[in-house]
Amino acid sequence: MDLIFPIECLRCGKDGVWLCAGCFSRLEFRDSQRCLSCKQETAFGRFCRACRPGYSLRGVLIAGNYEDELLSKLVKSLKYKFARKLSKDLGKFLILFLGGIFRIPLNSPASLLSPILLNGGRFRPARAAGFSDFNFKTALIIPVPLHPRRERWRGFNQAELIARELADYFNLEMNVGGMDRVKHRRPQTKLSKKDRKNNIKNCFTWRSGSLSGRNIILVDDVATTGATLNECARVLKENGAGKIWGLVAANG
Ligand SMILES: [Zn+2]
Ligand SMILES: [Zn+2]
């Protein structure tokens, strides 16, 4: 595969890596979080009071901007160029983001923070804010599942690889396989907001028993209207889940 697709940094072309340390440090976090439905600024991307009744999710945390060319290249290359190792970079991006949001001191192993230090601290953690009503330490991490057919085609589920980085770093429990994607539907990309909601309905099932009030972080690579994340959340709620937040690397 490397002969067909030579590996080089997506930004500067450096040989042998998909993203070099210097270019990693140029990724930028979003400077505000918004209600994904009406786009008004809200704390942590919580759904606003008016939009909330339509959602099972509390909100969706979005780390970066899809308009950031480097970030969108990263996401696309992971998915369509099978650049599996990029899940580590996206995972790292989300770890730094969550560290800021939840005020978790990052026990900075050199591998995580060296790119930031290398670049003279240019890479600023997301604004520390402190999430008061969500216990991060006991949260269950669940990646949005792919339909098995799509996962076989790609060889992996990108959401699962990214989620694994987070779970490992923060020592959180992760569930894979409890939720299934049971229907293969049209890709969401070309659909309107309303059509996305209908298209994704009843696509997921949960078969891992009662979630008895457990708080959950649902992880995916990107979210546009939040329809997929919310449909997962709806199913998890039916099975007794507590508060559920979405977490993605970019809107888009
Ligand atoms: Zn580079
Ligand atoms: Zn709203």
Side-chain angles (χ1 to χ4, degrees):
M1 282 301 265
D2 291 359
L3 288 173
I4 307 164
F5 300 112
I7 294 176
E8 50 182 42
C9 176
L10 291 169
R11 185 171 171 276
C12 73
K14 185 181 170 180
D15 264 347
V17 285
W18 285 108
L19 183 66
C20 76
C23 292
F24 177 87
S25 71
R26 292 183 177 267
L27 287 171
E28 282 176 21
F29 293 116
R30 289 188 131 198
D31 47 19
S32 66
Q33 296 289 325
R34 294 168 183 280
C35 167
L36 196 52
S37 180
C38 69
K39 312 297 179 204
Q40 69 166 296
E41 198 169 328
T42 59
F44 312 112
R46 200 180 287 272
F47 284 107
C48 73
R49 198 181 290 272
C51 298
R52 203 174 300 157
Y55 290 87
S56 303
L57 287 166
R58 288 262 155 152
V60 180
L61 288 157
I62 303 178
N65 290 306
Y66 208 63
E67 293 74 34
D68 175 348
E69 209 185 318
L70 180 58
L71 185 58
S72 65
K73 262 187 175 175
L74 233 84
V75 169
K76 285 184 207 150
S77 302
L78 170 62
K79 274 157 92 159
Y80 304 113
K81 287 168 95 182
F82 311 102
R84 190 185 173 115
K85 279 198 177 139
L86 280 176
S87 62
K88 295 217 177 285
D89 295 291
L90 283 173
K92 195 154 70 176
F93 184 59
L94 285 177
I95 289 167
L96 292 164
F97 174 72
L98 283 181
I101 293 281
F102 289 99
R103 289 186 174 161
I104 309 159
L106 301 172
N107 50 351
S108 47
S111 63
L112 184 61
L113 289 176
S114 60
I116 299 149
L117 302 175
L118 263 177
N119 213 27
R122 192 180 173 279
F123 190 100
R124 298 251 171 267
R127 195 172 42 185
F131 220 120
S132 57
D133 65 345
F134 187 92
N135 190 346
F136 180 75
K137 287 188 187 128
T138 58
L140 175 65
I141 302 272
I142 301 181
V144 171
L146 283 181
H147 189 271
R149 202 190 305 164
R150 183 161 290 257
E151 187 163 342
R152 269 197 304 277
W153 172 77
R154 187 170 290 141
F156 56 82
N157 172 2
Q158 71 281 3
E160 183 184 329
L161 297 183
I162 296 169
R164 174 63 64 199
E165 296 295 316
L166 298 175
D168 284 355
Y169 186 84
F170 291 116
N171 205 11
L172 298 172
E173 190 188 336
M174 170 160 144
N175 182 296
V176 177
M179 193 157 53
D180 281 329
R181 196 164 188 144
V182 288
K183 286 182 192 155
H184 191 63
R185 289 283 169 86
R186 284 182 290 162
Q188 297 276 83
T189 18
K190 294 200 175 73
L191 302 176
S192 71
K193 188 171 166 180
K194 190 166 162 264
D195 289 342
R196 280 170 190 250
K197 210 169 172 177
N198 291 329
N199 190 46
I200 202 74
K201 194 145 175 53
N202 300 322
C203 275
F204 300 97
T205 57
W206 175 257
R207 51 189 180 92
S208 261
S210 168
L211 286 155
S212 41
R214 195 80 191 267
N215 286 351
I216 292 167
I217 300 177
L218 271 170
V219 179
D220 210 349
D221 51 352
V222 294
T224 306
T225 65
T228 304
L229 285 167
N230 194 62
E231 180 60 13
C232 290
R234 192 183 66 77
V235 171
L236 295 171
K237 279 274 181 196
E238 277 178 4
N239 286 277
K243 292 166 191 159
I244 308 175
W245 278 81
L247 171 68
V248 297
N251 59 312

